[in-house]
Amino acid sequence: EYNVVNFGCILNDTTMTMRMRVTNSSKVETAFSWAFLEDEDASRAQSTTKKPYIPINQVFDILPIRSRLAPGEVEDVDFIYYGHAGRKFKGTCLCEVEGGPEYNIVLLGEASTGGYKLDKTCLDFGNVLYTKTEDLEFSIINTGKVAFPFTVSLQGKKDGEESVIEVHPTTGKVGANDKQAIVVRLKPGLPETFKENLVVEVAHFEPVEFPIAGSGI
């Protein structure tokens, strides 16, 4: 399907799998196998740094490593990347077809720590006319190189249960060095004071309580 497999940046010491569809476009049964090509320049560059040299087959893996397809048959091949902490890799693998051509696939991957921060610690709407609505927002900021998912929910509220607070978006993904604005809408409905907590969950980090306060007048 393509000649570059780019895993982007993943968390240190985790793995990521990408799938490629391989099709036998010929009229005969075809056998093929995969092999890694060691790049001497890349190996030399790795060894000149203070970080230890890691063979390419300890960074990437391919399953199945060999196969046979009938004419027109399709198979999914998994490319697996092992994220060695704080390292960035570029490698090449070769698909060798018996009695046919060879195909080079470039493999790219990086691993890093993840991190985020919130630009506010709470939201206070102050006094809002109880028949009106008002919007405030805060941002989830990705301070690292690894994209991460997030969810925002109302603490203690069950699905369908009424609240004076609406949140958008409640789920999503924040890219590397990017940020996502979370809009919080207040609809008091009654002239009374309220306090609620949002729960912000980011990737593998502990959930964070985010207080919301205000008064309908």
Side-chain angles (χ1 to χ4, degrees):
E1 288 183 303
Y2 32 78
N3 54 21
V4 175
V5 178
N6 190 346
F7 293 91
C9 190
I10 68 173
L11 284 173
N12 287 340
D13 303 313
T14 63
T15 63
M16 182 178 181
T17 299
M18 295 185 68
R19 184 161 287 179
M20 179 191 291
R21 182 152 289 183
V22 176
T23 304
N24 180 359
S25 57
S26 71
K27 296 180 180 180
V28 296
E29 186 176 72
T30 301
F32 63 95
S33 60
W34 296 92
F36 290 106
L37 301 180
E38 282 288 0
D39 186 326
E40 290 184 14
D41 291 335
S43 301
R44 196 176 299 114
Q46 259 197 75
S47 60
T48 55
T49 67
K50 294 182 180 180
K51 298 176 180 177
Y53 169 68
I54 301 174
I56 199 68
N57 62 0
Q58 291 181 23
V59 179
F60 301 103
D61 200 2
I62 303 172
L63 295 173
I65 198 71
R66 58 179 55 82
S67 189
R68 182 180 295 271
L69 298 179
E73 190 177 1
V74 174
E75 180 177 62
D76 288 333
V77 175
D78 286 341
F79 290 79
I80 304 163
Y81 170 53
Y82 301 92
H84 295 272
R87 302 292 293 271
K88 187 175 184 178
F89 293 93
K90 178 180 179 180
T92 303
C93 63
L94 181 70
C95 179
E96 300 175 282
V97 180
E98 284 184 16
E102 296 179 344
Y103 299 93
N104 281 355
I105 307 291
V106 176
L107 306 172
L108 302 170
E110 185 176 0
S112 182
T113 56
Y116 83 100
K117 65 181 181 180
L118 303 178
D119 68 340
K120 297 180 177 74
T121 57
C122 64
L123 289 179
D124 189 346
F125 283 87
N127 293 326
V128 178
L129 195 63
Y130 79 94
T131 56
K132 301 293 186 181
T133 64
E134 186 169 328
D135 291 351
L136 292 178
E137 66 178 51
F138 67 95
S139 292
I140 301 172
I141 302 169
N142 188 339
T143 59
K145 295 181 178 181
V146 184
F148 57 69
F150 71 88
T151 62
V152 181
S153 58
L154 280 165
Q155 188 177 60
K157 294 290 182 182
K158 299 176 182 177
D159 290 342
E161 189 175 348
E162 285 294 322
S163 172
V164 296
I165 294 296
E166 290 181 0
V167 182
H168 180 79
T170 56
T171 63
K173 194 171 187 178
V174 185
N177 300 307
D178 201 358
K179 64 180 180 180
Q180 172 67 56
I182 307 297
V183 178
V184 181
R185 174 166 292 176
L186 169 64
K187 298 197 299 183
L190 292 171
E192 59 186 23
T193 298
F194 72 91
K195 288 184 179 179
E196 294 199 32
N197 280 331
L198 298 180
V199 178
V200 181
E201 296 182 74
V202 172
H204 60 285
F205 297 101
E206 287 293 318
V208 173
E209 289 188 5
F210 191 90
I212 308 290
S215 295
I217 60 170

